[in-house]
mmCIF file of all heavy atoms in Angstrom:
data_model
loop_
_atom_site.group_PDB
_atom_site.id
_atom_site.type_symbol
_atom_site.label_atom_id
_atom_site.label_comp_id
_atom_site.label_asym_id
_atom_site.label_seq_id
_atom_site.Cartn_x
_atom_site.Cartn_y
_atom_site.Cartn_z
ATOM 1 N N HIS A 1 -67.185 99.480 -105.967
ATOM 2 C CA HIS A 1 -66.024 98.586 -105.907
ATOM 3 C C HIS A 1 -66.385 97.292 -105.174
ATOM 4 O O HIS A 1 -66.794 97.300 -104.015
ATOM 5 C CB HIS A 1 -64.870 99.277 -105.188
ATOM 6 C CG HIS A 1 -63.628 98.429 -105.111
ATOM 7 N ND1 HIS A 1 -62.907 98.068 -106.228
ATOM 8 C CD2 HIS A 1 -63.001 97.862 -104.054
ATOM 9 C CE1 HIS A 1 -61.882 97.329 -105.866
ATOM 10 N NE2 HIS A 1 -61.916 97.182 -104.552
ATOM 11 N N GLY A 2 -66.280 96.187 -105.868
ATOM 12 C CA GLY A 2 -66.581 94.891 -105.272
ATOM 13 C C GLY A 2 -68.058 94.546 -105.250
ATOM 14 O O GLY A 2 -68.458 93.556 -104.623
ATOM 15 N N ILE A 3 -68.871 95.330 -105.955
ATOM 16 C CA ILE A 3 -70.321 95.092 -105.930
ATOM 17 C C ILE A 3 -70.675 93.746 -106.550
ATOM 18 O O ILE A 3 -71.724 93.165 -106.227
ATOM 19 C CB ILE A 3 -71.060 96.239 -106.649
ATOM 20 C CG1 ILE A 3 -72.556 96.174 -106.357
ATOM 21 C CG2 ILE A 3 -70.791 96.236 -108.151
ATOM 22 C CD1 ILE A 3 -73.342 97.353 -106.878
ATOM 23 N N TRP A 4 -69.834 93.215 -107.398
ATOM 24 C CA TRP A 4 -70.125 91.941 -108.049
ATOM 25 C C TRP A 4 -70.257 90.785 -107.063
ATOM 26 O O TRP A 4 -70.922 89.783 -107.337
ATOM 27 C CB TRP A 4 -69.058 91.620 -109.099
ATOM 28 C CG TRP A 4 -67.704 91.314 -108.526
ATOM 29 C CD1 TRP A 4 -66.747 92.218 -108.177
ATOM 30 C CD2 TRP A 4 -67.147 90.021 -108.257
ATOM 31 N NE1 TRP A 4 -65.627 91.590 -107.690
ATOM 32 C CE2 TRP A 4 -65.848 90.229 -107.730
ATOM 33 C CE3 TRP A 4 -67.623 88.709 -108.395
ATOM 34 C CZ2 TRP A 4 -65.024 89.187 -107.339
ATOM 35 C CZ3 TRP A 4 -66.792 87.668 -108.011
ATOM 36 C CH2 TRP A 4 -65.516 87.901 -107.498
ATOM 37 N N GLN A 5 -69.642 90.956 -105.871
ATOM 38 C CA GLN A 5 -69.702 89.878 -104.886
ATOM 39 C C GLN A 5 -70.269 90.326 -103.539
ATOM 40 O O GLN A 5 -70.168 89.608 -102.549
ATOM 41 C CB GLN A 5 -68.302 89.294 -104.672
ATOM 42 C CG GLN A 5 -67.292 90.314 -104.164
ATOM 43 C CD GLN A 5 -65.921 89.743 -103.942
ATOM 44 O OE1 GLN A 5 -65.734 88.518 -104.006
ATOM 45 N NE2 GLN A 5 -64.932 90.590 -103.662
ATOM 46 N N ASP A 6 -70.868 91.517 -103.482
ATOM 47 C CA ASP A 6 -71.384 92.077 -102.225
ATOM 48 C C ASP A 6 -72.889 92.290 -102.357
ATOM 49 O O ASP A 6 -73.344 93.226 -103.004
ATOM 50 C CB ASP A 6 -70.671 93.401 -101.917
ATOM 51 C CG ASP A 6 -70.958 93.895 -100.501
ATOM 52 O OD1 ASP A 6 -72.107 93.773 -100.056
ATOM 53 O OD2 ASP A 6 -70.025 94.426 -99.857
ATOM 54 N N LYS A 7 -73.669 91.434 -101.716
ATOM 55 C CA LYS A 7 -75.119 91.486 -101.828
ATOM 56 C C LYS A 7 -75.693 92.780 -101.254
ATOM 57 O O LYS A 7 -76.656 93.343 -101.802
ATOM 58 C CB LYS A 7 -75.729 90.283 -101.097
ATOM 59 C CG LYS A 7 -77.237 90.145 -101.283
ATOM 60 C CD LYS A 7 -77.590 89.874 -102.735
ATOM 61 C CE LYS A 7 -79.094 89.662 -102.905
ATOM 62 N NZ LYS A 7 -79.445 89.484 -104.339
ATOM 63 N N VAL A 8 -75.112 93.272 -100.155
ATOM 64 C CA VAL A 8 -75.614 94.509 -99.539
ATOM 65 C C VAL A 8 -75.432 95.690 -100.488
ATOM 66 O O VAL A 8 -76.339 96.505 -100.665
ATOM 67 C CB VAL A 8 -74.917 94.775 -98.192
ATOM 68 C CG1 VAL A 8 -75.354 96.131 -97.621
ATOM 69 C CG2 VAL A 8 -75.229 93.674 -97.198
ATOM 70 N N LEU A 9 -74.255 95.780 -101.109
ATOM 71 C CA LEU A 9 -74.026 96.856 -102.084
ATOM 72 C C LEU A 9 -75.016 96.757 -103.238
ATOM 73 O O LEU A 9 -75.527 97.771 -103.723
ATOM 74 C CB LEU A 9 -72.591 96.797 -102.619
ATOM 75 C CG LEU A 9 -71.469 97.252 -101.691
ATOM 76 C CD1 LEU A 9 -70.120 97.134 -102.407
ATOM 77 C CD2 LEU A 9 -71.689 98.669 -101.222
ATOM 78 N N GLN A 10 -75.290 95.565 -103.676
ATOM 79 C CA GLN A 10 -76.240 95.374 -104.775
ATOM 80 C C GLN A 10 -77.628 95.886 -104.393
ATOM 81 O O GLN A 10 -78.304 96.547 -105.187
ATOM 82 C CB GLN A 10 -76.311 93.891 -105.145
ATOM 83 C CG GLN A 10 -75.027 93.352 -105.768
ATOM 84 C CD GLN A 10 -75.009 91.836 -105.853
ATOM 85 O OE1 GLN A 10 -76.053 91.172 -105.861
ATOM 86 N NE2 GLN A 10 -73.818 91.260 -105.920
ATOM 87 N N ILE A 11 -78.049 95.608 -103.149
ATOM 88 C CA ILE A 11 -79.366 96.063 -102.688
ATOM 89 C C ILE A 11 -79.412 97.591 -102.619
ATOM 90 O O ILE A 11 -80.380 98.222 -103.034
ATOM 91 C CB ILE A 11 -79.682 95.445 -101.310
ATOM 92 C CG1 ILE A 11 -79.878 93.937 -101.442
ATOM 93 C CG2 ILE A 11 -80.929 96.096 -100.702
ATOM 94 C CD1 ILE A 11 -79.978 93.215 -100.113
ATOM 95 N N ILE A 12 -78.326 98.190 -102.096
ATOM 96 C CA ILE A 12 -78.270 99.650 -101.960
ATOM 97 C C ILE A 12 -78.334 100.322 -103.334
ATOM 98 O O ILE A 12 -79.105 101.264 -103.552
ATOM 99 C CB ILE A 12 -76.994 100.069 -101.214
ATOM 100 C CG1 ILE A 12 -77.060 99.619 -99.750
ATOM 101 C CG2 ILE A 12 -76.792 101.586 -101.277
ATOM 102 C CD1 ILE A 12 -75.752 99.795 -99.001
ATOM 103 N N VAL A 13 -77.519 99.846 -104.271
ATOM 104 C CA VAL A 13 -77.463 100.463 -105.596
ATOM 105 C C VAL A 13 -78.778 100.262 -106.348
ATOM 106 O O VAL A 13 -79.283 101.183 -107.000
ATOM 107 C CB VAL A 13 -76.269 99.910 -106.400
ATOM 108 C CG1 VAL A 13 -76.342 100.355 -107.859
ATOM 109 C CG2 VAL A 13 -74.957 100.386 -105.773
ATOM 110 N N GLU A 14 -79.342 99.069 -106.243
ATOM 111 C CA GLU A 14 -80.608 98.826 -106.932
ATOM 112 C C GLU A 14 -81.724 99.702 -106.356
ATOM 113 O O GLU A 14 -82.550 100.244 -107.094
ATOM 114 C CB GLU A 14 -81.001 97.356 -106.837
ATOM 115 C CG GLU A 14 -82.234 97.021 -107.663
ATOM 116 C CD GLU A 14 -82.548 95.538 -107.686
ATOM 117 O OE1 GLU A 14 -82.129 94.823 -106.744
ATOM 118 O OE2 GLU A 14 -83.216 95.102 -108.634
ATOM 119 N N SER A 15 -81.731 99.880 -105.030
ATOM 120 C CA SER A 15 -82.736 100.742 -104.401
ATOM 121 C C SER A 15 -82.559 102.187 -104.848
ATOM 122 O O SER A 15 -83.532 102.893 -105.126
ATOM 123 C CB SER A 15 -82.633 100.647 -102.879
ATOM 124 O OG SER A 15 -82.865 99.334 -102.430
ATOM 125 N N THR A 16 -81.310 102.631 -104.928
ATOM 126 C CA THR A 16 -81.028 103.991 -105.390
ATOM 127 C C THR A 16 -81.474 104.174 -106.829
ATOM 128 O O THR A 16 -82.053 105.199 -107.195
ATOM 129 C CB THR A 16 -79.522 104.290 -105.266
ATOM 130 O OG1 THR A 16 -79.091 104.062 -103.925
ATOM 131 C CG2 THR A 16 -79.219 105.733 -105.640
ATOM 132 N N ARG A 17 -81.246 103.151 -107.649
ATOM 133 C CA ARG A 17 -81.666 103.222 -109.055
ATOM 134 C C ARG A 17 -83.177 103.343 -109.171
ATOM 135 O O ARG A 17 -83.689 104.127 -109.976
ATOM 136 C CB ARG A 17 -81.150 101.987 -109.809
ATOM 137 C CG ARG A 17 -81.221 102.094 -111.335
ATOM 138 C CD ARG A 17 -82.464 101.468 -111.908
ATOM 139 N NE ARG A 17 -82.565 100.082 -111.505
ATOM 140 C CZ ARG A 17 -83.701 99.406 -111.493
ATOM 141 N NH1 ARG A 17 -84.831 99.983 -111.845
ATOM 142 N NH2 ARG A 17 -83.731 98.146 -111.102
ATOM 143 N N ARG A 18 -83.907 102.602 -108.336
ATOM 144 C CA ARG A 18 -85.373 102.673 -108.383
ATOM 145 C C ARG A 18 -85.868 104.066 -107.984
ATOM 146 O O ARG A 18 -86.777 104.623 -108.607
ATOM 147 C CB ARG A 18 -85.988 101.616 -107.462
ATOM 148 C CG ARG A 18 -85.881 100.184 -107.986
ATOM 149 C CD ARG A 18 -86.912 99.293 -107.344
ATOM 150 N NE ARG A 18 -86.756 99.253 -105.896
ATOM 151 C CZ ARG A 18 -86.033 98.357 -105.235
ATOM 152 N NH1 ARG A 18 -85.396 97.412 -105.911
ATOM 153 N NH2 ARG A 18 -85.944 98.380 -103.922
ATOM 154 N N VAL A 19 -85.248 104.636 -106.930
ATOM 155 C CA VAL A 19 -85.624 105.983 -106.498
ATOM 156 C C VAL A 19 -85.345 106.989 -107.606
ATOM 157 O O VAL A 19 -86.170 107.861 -107.902
ATOM 158 C CB VAL A 19 -84.871 106.372 -105.205
ATOM 159 C CG1 VAL A 19 -85.085 107.852 -104.878
ATOM 160 C CG2 VAL A 19 -85.332 105.516 -104.046
ATOM 161 N N CYS A 20 -84.181 106.881 -108.236
ATOM 162 C CA CYS A 20 -83.814 107.808 -109.314
ATOM 163 C C CYS A 20 -84.759 107.668 -110.506
ATOM 164 O O CYS A 20 -85.118 108.668 -111.146
ATOM 165 C CB CYS A 20 -82.369 107.576 -109.747
ATOM 166 S SG CYS A 20 -81.147 108.146 -108.542
ATOM 167 N N ASP A 21 -85.172 106.441 -110.810
ATOM 168 C CA ASP A 21 -86.129 106.232 -111.899
ATOM 169 C C ASP A 21 -87.446 106.944 -111.597
ATOM 170 O O ASP A 21 -88.029 107.607 -112.465
ATOM 171 C CB ASP A 21 -86.390 104.736 -112.101
ATOM 172 C CG ASP A 21 -85.235 104.028 -112.784
ATOM 173 O OD1 ASP A 21 -84.335 104.725 -113.309
ATOM 174 O OD2 ASP A 21 -85.221 102.781 -112.792
ATOM 175 N N GLU A 22 -87.902 106.833 -110.356
ATOM 176 C CA GLU A 22 -89.176 107.452 -109.965
ATOM 177 C C GLU A 22 -89.087 108.977 -109.993
ATOM 178 O O GLU A 22 -90.067 109.660 -110.308
ATOM 179 C CB GLU A 22 -89.577 106.973 -108.573
ATOM 180 C CG GLU A 22 -89.974 105.501 -108.509
ATOM 181 C CD GLU A 22 -90.265 105.048 -107.103
ATOM 182 O OE1 GLU A 22 -90.295 105.913 -106.192
ATOM 183 O OE2 GLU A 22 -90.467 103.836 -106.891
ATOM 184 N N LEU A 23 -87.909 109.507 -109.655
ATOM 185 C CA LEU A 23 -87.727 110.956 -109.593
ATOM 186 C C LEU A 23 -87.179 111.530 -110.893
ATOM 187 O O LEU A 23 -86.899 112.727 -110.968
ATOM 188 C CB LEU A 23 -86.783 111.308 -108.438
ATOM 189 C CG LEU A 23 -87.258 110.928 -107.034
ATOM 190 C CD1 LEU A 23 -86.186 111.255 -105.998
ATOM 191 C CD2 LEU A 23 -88.566 111.642 -106.684
ATOM 192 N N ASN A 24 -87.002 110.668 -111.899
ATOM 193 C CA ASN A 24 -86.482 111.089 -113.212
ATOM 194 C C ASN A 24 -85.094 111.716 -113.080
ATOM 195 O O ASN A 24 -84.799 112.760 -113.683
ATOM 196 C CB ASN A 24 -87.446 112.068 -113.886
ATOM 197 C CG ASN A 24 -87.163 112.219 -115.372
ATOM 198 O OD1 ASN A 24 -86.662 111.298 -116.014
ATOM 199 N ND2 ASN A 24 -87.454 113.387 -115.919
ATOM 200 N N LEU A 25 -84.231 111.071 -112.305
ATOM 201 C CA LEU A 25 -82.855 111.522 -112.121
ATOM 202 C C LEU A 25 -81.910 110.588 -112.872
ATOM 203 O O LEU A 25 -82.100 109.371 -112.861
ATOM 204 C CB LEU A 25 -82.471 111.519 -110.635
ATOM 205 C CG LEU A 25 -83.322 112.363 -109.685
ATOM 206 C CD1 LEU A 25 -82.873 112.136 -108.246
ATOM 207 C CD2 LEU A 25 -83.211 113.828 -110.043
ATOM 208 N N ARG A 26 -80.902 111.172 -113.508
ATOM 209 C CA ARG A 26 -79.869 110.338 -114.126
ATOM 210 C C ARG A 26 -78.991 109.753 -113.010
ATOM 211 O O ARG A 26 -78.591 110.460 -112.082
ATOM 212 C CB ARG A 26 -79.010 111.153 -115.078
ATOM 213 C CG ARG A 26 -77.834 110.350 -115.652
ATOM 214 C CD ARG A 26 -76.907 111.253 -116.426
ATOM 215 N NE ARG A 26 -77.492 111.687 -117.666
ATOM 216 C CZ ARG A 26 -77.154 112.793 -118.311
ATOM 217 N NH1 ARG A 26 -76.239 113.597 -117.805
ATOM 218 N NH2 ARG A 26 -77.731 113.116 -119.437
ATOM 219 N N LEU A 27 -78.689 108.472 -113.120
ATOM 220 C CA LEU A 27 -77.835 107.814 -112.135
ATOM 221 C C LEU A 27 -76.535 107.404 -112.808
ATOM 222 O O LEU A 27 -76.542 106.740 -113.847
ATOM 223 C CB LEU A 27 -78.538 106.589 -111.559
ATOM 224 C CG LEU A 27 -77.818 105.857 -110.418
ATOM 225 C CD1 LEU A 27 -77.613 106.775 -109.220
ATOM 226 C CD2 LEU A 27 -78.596 104.611 -110.002
ATOM 227 N N VAL A 28 -75.420 107.823 -112.217
ATOM 228 C CA VAL A 28 -74.088 107.542 -112.768
ATOM 229 C C VAL A 28 -73.294 106.732 -111.755
ATOM 230 O O VAL A 28 -73.239 107.084 -110.570
ATOM 231 C CB VAL A 28 -73.326 108.852 -113.080
ATOM 232 C CG1 VAL A 28 -71.948 108.541 -113.669
ATOM 233 C CG2 VAL A 28 -74.128 109.736 -114.018
ATOM 234 N N ALA A 29 -72.697 105.657 -112.203
ATOM 235 C CA ALA A 29 -71.777 104.894 -111.351
ATOM 236 C C ALA A 29 -70.364 105.373 -111.653
ATOM 237 O O ALA A 29 -69.918 105.305 -112.797
ATOM 238 C CB ALA A 29 -71.910 103.398 -111.630
ATOM 239 N N GLU A 30 -69.667 105.866 -110.635
ATOM 240 C CA GLU A 30 -68.322 106.396 -110.875
ATOM 241 C C GLU A 30 -67.265 105.512 -110.222
ATOM 242 O O GLU A 30 -67.539 104.743 -109.304
ATOM 243 C CB GLU A 30 -68.208 107.836 -110.370
ATOM 244 C CG GLU A 30 -68.433 108.049 -108.904
ATOM 245 C CD GLU A 30 -68.255 109.503 -108.489
ATOM 246 O OE1 GLU A 30 -67.561 110.242 -109.209
ATOM 247 O OE2 GLU A 30 -68.792 109.887 -107.445
ATOM 248 N N GLY A 31 -66.049 105.647 -110.739
ATOM 249 C CA GLY A 31 -64.940 104.869 -110.194
ATOM 250 C C GLY A 31 -64.962 103.412 -110.594
ATOM 251 O O GLY A 31 -64.399 102.566 -109.897
ATOM 252 N N VAL A 32 -65.601 103.087 -111.728
ATOM 253 C CA VAL A 32 -65.721 101.692 -112.150
ATOM 254 C C VAL A 32 -64.451 101.284 -112.906
ATOM 255 O O VAL A 32 -64.107 101.881 -113.924
ATOM 256 C CB VAL A 32 -66.957 101.486 -113.051
ATOM 257 C CG1 VAL A 32 -67.070 100.019 -113.477
ATOM 258 C CG2 VAL A 32 -68.220 101.932 -112.328
ATOM 259 N N SER A 33 -63.776 100.269 -112.388
ATOM 260 C CA SER A 33 -62.529 99.823 -113.020
ATOM 261 C C SER A 33 -62.471 98.315 -113.224
ATOM 262 O O SER A 33 -61.616 97.829 -113.960
ATOM 263 C CB SER A 33 -61.323 100.272 -112.178
ATOM 264 O OG SER A 33 -61.414 99.756 -110.855
ATOM 265 N N ASP A 34 -63.368 97.579 -112.575
ATOM 266 C CA ASP A 34 -63.363 96.119 -112.647
ATOM 267 C C ASP A 34 -64.495 95.646 -113.566
ATOM 268 O O ASP A 34 -65.652 95.997 -113.343
ATOM 269 C CB ASP A 34 -63.555 95.542 -111.234
ATOM 270 C CG ASP A 34 -63.317 94.038 -111.182
ATOM 271 O OD1 ASP A 34 -63.746 93.326 -112.106
ATOM 272 O OD2 ASP A 34 -62.708 93.573 -110.200
ATOM 273 N N PRO A 35 -64.177 94.844 -114.595
ATOM 274 C CA PRO A 35 -65.227 94.363 -115.500
ATOM 275 C C PRO A 35 -66.338 93.610 -114.783
ATOM 276 O O PRO A 35 -67.496 93.657 -115.196
ATOM 277 C CB PRO A 35 -64.462 93.438 -116.464
ATOM 278 C CG PRO A 35 -63.053 93.903 -116.413
ATOM 279 C CD PRO A 35 -62.838 94.400 -115.009
ATOM 280 N N ARG A 36 -66.006 92.931 -113.684
ATOM 281 C CA ARG A 36 -67.026 92.185 -112.942
ATOM 282 C C ARG A 36 -68.012 93.139 -112.263
ATOM 283 O O ARG A 36 -69.220 92.868 -112.213
ATOM 284 C CB ARG A 36 -66.361 91.270 -111.914
ATOM 285 C CG ARG A 36 -65.502 90.167 -112.538
ATOM 286 C CD ARG A 36 -64.662 89.463 -111.502
ATOM 287 N NE ARG A 36 -63.712 90.378 -110.865
ATOM 288 C CZ ARG A 36 -62.809 90.010 -109.950
ATOM 289 N NH1 ARG A 36 -62.754 88.741 -109.555
ATOM 290 N NH2 ARG A 36 -61.986 90.885 -109.433
ATOM 291 N N ASP A 37 -67.496 94.255 -111.741
ATOM 292 C CA ASP A 37 -68.388 95.265 -111.167
ATOM 293 C C ASP A 37 -69.273 95.864 -112.255
ATOM 294 O O ASP A 37 -70.469 96.100 -112.039
ATOM 295 C CB ASP A 37 -67.568 96.378 -110.492
ATOM 296 C CG ASP A 37 -66.862 95.905 -109.242
ATOM 297 O OD1 ASP A 37 -67.336 94.946 -108.612
ATOM 298 O OD2 ASP A 37 -65.822 96.498 -108.894
ATOM 299 N N PHE A 38 -68.684 96.115 -113.407
ATOM 300 C CA PHE A 38 -69.446 96.670 -114.527
ATOM 301 C C PHE A 38 -70.585 95.739 -114.935
ATOM 302 O O PHE A 38 -71.716 96.181 -115.169
ATOM 303 C CB PHE A 38 -68.518 96.923 -115.719
ATOM 304 C CG PHE A 38 -69.233 97.189 -117.007
ATOM 305 C CD1 PHE A 38 -69.991 98.335 -117.180
ATOM 306 C CD2 PHE A 38 -69.180 96.271 -118.049
ATOM 307 C CE1 PHE A 38 -70.664 98.578 -118.365
ATOM 308 C CE2 PHE A 38 -69.855 96.499 -119.235
ATOM 309 C CZ PHE A 38 -70.593 97.661 -119.389
ATOM 310 N N GLN A 39 -70.311 94.457 -115.008
ATOM 311 C CA GLN A 39 -71.337 93.498 -115.381
ATOM 312 C C GLN A 39 -72.488 93.488 -114.375
ATOM 313 O O GLN A 39 -73.660 93.393 -114.753
ATOM 314 C CB GLN A 39 -70.726 92.103 -115.515
ATOM 315 C CG GLN A 39 -69.799 91.966 -116.722
ATOM 316 C CD GLN A 39 -69.038 90.657 -116.730
ATOM 317 O OE1 GLN A 39 -69.068 89.890 -115.764
ATOM 318 N NE2 GLN A 39 -68.348 90.377 -117.827
ATOM 319 N N MET A 40 -72.165 93.613 -113.084
ATOM 320 C CA MET A 40 -73.214 93.645 -112.070
ATOM 321 C C MET A 40 -74.018 94.935 -112.153
ATOM 322 O O MET A 40 -75.250 94.931 -112.017
ATOM 323 C CB MET A 40 -72.599 93.480 -110.679
ATOM 324 C CG MET A 40 -73.618 93.560 -109.528
ATOM 325 S SD MET A 40 -75.009 92.398 -109.713
ATOM 326 C CE MET A 40 -74.154 90.822 -109.546
ATOM 327 N N LEU A 41 -73.341 96.065 -112.371
ATOM 328 C CA LEU A 41 -74.040 97.348 -112.517
ATOM 329 C C LEU A 41 -74.976 97.303 -113.721
ATOM 330 O O LEU A 41 -76.090 97.836 -113.674
ATOM 331 C CB LEU A 41 -73.027 98.487 -112.660
ATOM 332 C CG LEU A 41 -72.218 98.801 -111.396
ATOM 333 C CD1 LEU A 41 -71.016 99.687 -111.747
ATOM 334 C CD2 LEU A 41 -73.087 99.490 -110.348
ATOM 335 N N ASP A 42 -74.525 96.671 -114.791
ATOM 336 C CA ASP A 42 -75.369 96.481 -115.970
ATOM 337 C C ASP A 42 -76.610 95.671 -115.600
ATOM 338 O O ASP A 42 -77.745 96.017 -115.962
ATOM 339 C CB ASP A 42 -74.557 95.773 -117.056
ATOM 340 C CG ASP A 42 -75.363 95.529 -118.332
ATOM 341 O OD1 ASP A 42 -76.408 96.181 -118.515
ATOM 342 O OD2 ASP A 42 -74.945 94.669 -119.131
ATOM 343 N N LYS A 43 -76.413 94.619 -114.845
ATOM 344 C CA LYS A 43 -77.514 93.758 -114.413
ATOM 345 C C LYS A 43 -78.511 94.518 -113.537
ATOM 346 O O LYS A 43 -79.715 94.258 -113.580
ATOM 347 C CB LYS A 43 -76.950 92.559 -113.657
ATOM 348 C CG LYS A 43 -77.978 91.531 -113.238
ATOM 349 C CD LYS A 43 -77.314 90.349 -112.545
ATOM 350 C CE LYS A 43 -78.352 89.324 -112.098
ATOM 351 N NZ LYS A 43 -77.695 88.168 -111.417
ATOM 352 N N LEU A 44 -77.995 95.470 -112.750
ATOM 353 C CA LEU A 44 -78.845 96.249 -111.847
ATOM 354 C C LEU A 44 -79.531 97.423 -112.549
ATOM 355 O O LEU A 44 -80.269 98.168 -111.917
ATOM 356 C CB LEU A 44 -78.012 96.766 -110.669
ATOM 357 C CG LEU A 44 -77.438 95.700 -109.738
ATOM 358 C CD1 LEU A 44 -76.521 96.335 -108.711
ATOM 359 C CD2 LEU A 44 -78.550 94.922 -109.047
ATOM 360 N N GLY A 45 -79.240 97.598 -113.842
ATOM 361 C CA GLY A 45 -79.928 98.626 -114.614
ATOM 362 C C GLY A 45 -79.251 99.981 -114.641
ATOM 363 O O GLY A 45 -79.885 100.986 -114.956
ATOM 364 N N ILE A 46 -77.944 100.028 -114.342
ATOM 365 C CA ILE A 46 -77.200 101.293 -114.393
ATOM 366 C C ILE A 46 -76.648 101.476 -115.798
ATOM 367 O O ILE A 46 -75.869 100.656 -116.282
ATOM 368 C CB ILE A 46 -76.036 101.304 -113.365
ATOM 369 C CG1 ILE A 46 -76.518 100.851 -111.993
ATOM 370 C CG2 ILE A 46 -75.396 102.685 -113.310
ATOM 371 C CD1 ILE A 46 -77.590 101.734 -111.393
ATOM 372 N N ASP A 47 -77.041 102.571 -116.458
ATOM 373 C CA ASP A 47 -76.659 102.778 -117.856
ATOM 374 C C ASP A 47 -75.411 103.630 -118.031
ATOM 375 O O ASP A 47 -74.644 103.434 -118.973
ATOM 376 C CB ASP A 47 -77.808 103.460 -118.617
ATOM 377 C CG ASP A 47 -79.062 102.603 -118.656
ATOM 378 O OD1 ASP A 47 -78.937 101.380 -118.506
ATOM 379 O OD2 ASP A 47 -80.154 103.170 -118.843
#
């Protein structure tokens, strides 16, 4: 929530995505309701 304008959240989520990629874990973003957050999650590589 609000990741589209929060640099710290972006760093945390991107770091988590990299760890999950290395460990072959599926990463799910839950509670997404704002199109702007969705666009940022897309940019960070969350499928």
Side-chain angles (χ1 to χ4, degrees):
H1 181 66
I3 193 173
W4 68 275
Q5 60 179 351
D6 191 320
K7 187 64 177 176
V8 175
L9 286 181
Q10 292 168 23
I11 292 171
I12 292 171
V13 170
E14 186 174 24
S15 299
T16 305
R17 194 264 304 158
R18 287 201 300 268
V19 171
C20 288
D21 285 348
E22 291 176 7
L23 298 176
N24 196 29
L25 302 175
R26 175 188 289 156
L27 185 60
V28 181
E30 61 178 337
V32 180
S33 58
D34 190 319
R36 295 169 298 183
D37 291 334
F38 167 67
Q39 290 171 352
M40 178 54 66
L41 291 166
D42 180 18
K43 184 178 179 180
L44 295 174
I46 312 299
D47 297 337

